[in-house]
Amino acid sequence: MRTLNMLMGVLLIIAGIFMIASEGITFLSVAFVIGLLFIVAGAVEVISCNNYRVDEGDKSWVLIDGLIMFALGVLIIFNKLAADAVVPLVLGFWVLTSGVGNMVRGLSRREEKDSYFYGYLIIGLLNIIVGLYMFFNNDLLMLSVSVQVGLCILAQGVNAFMVGSTIIVFKSDFLKTKDEILAQAVEDAERAQEAVKEAIKFVKEAKAIVKEIEETPEELLDASLAPKPGEEVEITSVIVEEEE
């Protein structure tokens, strides 16, 4: 699925470049090919979403994007998106939605600052710019419909290629070498150690809260007797005097 997704991304990029280069071509003349390409690419993305990393949020974004692409392909095949004025807006909104999803996925890993973070941040920004432009074309460069459609397909091709490149390839245990099995075991041990550290940290914090509650006078724990702003010092002094 990894290779197939990357291949579909390359095909979308090629189709986008072709549409941009063929500025005088009409959308209807290539609608069937584009629609078919969308259907196949969308289906591949939907099928492969379960192999896409391990985060449920990532899988949801990939599934949604694949379903939208598939649905657009069906609409194009059945000539439901035939008007030149409508096609760029619909595709632009799709690209804009994908851009927002890419930004969310990228920012979710802002602490790691890895290639995943920068990759989806850049692609998300590209998608958002292209998607927004479709709504302001008449006020800016007045690009033809074929060029606008080509930009949208190109942007989504880059997105599809990124999805494919980040799919985790799972290899069956009987196909793994001894070194690969050892490396997997070491990785699992490191993850388990990190989980233990988090658990120990959680236990320490819980014990600290319990100790704080035990050492806090009951009057301060009662919500109805909680000191108001400005009265904390007065109540504390009274408690100290009673204890003395």
Side-chain angles (χ1 to χ4, degrees):
M1 279 300 174
R2 176 189 177 94
T3 304
L4 193 54
N5 269 273
M6 294 176 71
L7 176 61
M8 296 310 302
V10 171
L11 291 177
L12 286 170
I13 291 173
I14 293 174
I17 294 174
F18 173 79
M19 291 293 294
I20 295 173
S22 306
E23 187 173 353
I25 197 172
T26 61
F27 177 74
L28 287 177
S29 62
V30 293
F32 182 82
V33 177
I34 292 176
L36 186 61
L37 185 60
F38 277 16
I39 290 175
V40 176
V44 170
E45 199 164 326
V46 169
I47 294 172
S48 64
C49 72
N50 287 331
N51 296 330
Y52 183 73
R53 291 193 167 268
V54 293
D55 186 83
E56 292 299 326
D58 282 345
K59 292 179 181 179
S60 299
W61 280 111
V62 174
L63 178 61
I64 292 171
D65 193 60
L67 289 173
I68 294 176
M69 188 185 299
F70 183 86
L72 286 175
V74 173
L75 292 176
I76 293 173
I77 288 288
F78 287 97
N79 292 324
K80 299 302 180 180
L81 291 178
D84 287 349
V86 175
V87 175
L89 296 179
V90 174
L91 295 184
F93 184 75
W94 168 43
V95 174
L96 181 61
T97 303
S98 297
V100 173
N102 290 333
M103 292 290 287
V104 171
R105 283 141 71 183
L107 291 174
S108 66
R109 295 180 66 88
R110 58 183 176 274
E111 295 180 358
E112 287 82 355
K113 295 291 192 304
D114 54 6
S115 58
Y116 179 92
F117 167 76
Y118 290 108
Y120 268 112
L121 208 61
I122 294 172
I123 293 175
L125 184 60
L126 171 66
N127 289 157
I128 290 175
I129 292 174
V130 173
L132 286 176
Y133 176 82
M134 297 301 119
F135 295 91
F136 300 97
N137 178 62
N138 293 334
D139 301 320
L140 298 173
L141 301 178
M142 295 288 290
L143 299 177
S144 64
V145 173
S146 63
V147 175
Q148 294 179 69
V149 172
L151 287 173
C152 291
I153 297 175
L154 178 61
Q156 287 301 88
V158 174
N159 182 44
F161 186 86
M162 182 67 177
V163 168
S165 65
T166 50
I167 287 179
I168 296 177
V169 179
F170 294 99
K171 196 174 183 180
S172 301
D173 290 338
F174 70 92
L175 295 176
K176 293 180 180 178
T177 64
K178 180 180 178 180
D179 292 337
E180 289 175 334
I181 295 175
L182 178 60
Q184 182 63 47
V186 171
E187 183 179 349
D188 293 341
E190 291 176 351
R191 289 180 180 176
Q193 188 175 4
E194 289 297 325
V196 170
K197 289 181 180 179
E198 289 296 325
I200 293 174
K201 180 181 177 182
F202 178 79
V203 170
K204 288 182 178 179
E205 291 177 350
K207 287 183 177 180
I209 293 174
V210 171
K211 184 177 180 181
E212 182 179 355
I213 293 174
E214 291 176 345
E215 294 177 352
T216 302
E218 186 176 353
E219 291 84 354
L220 296 181
L221 291 176
D222 190 344
S224 62
L225 299 176
K228 298 179 181 180
E231 298 181 355
E232 295 178 0
V233 177
E234 181 180 351
I235 293 177
T236 303
S237 61
V238 171
I239 294 174
V240 172
E241 290 176 0
E242 290 179 352
E243 289 178 350
E244 292 178 352

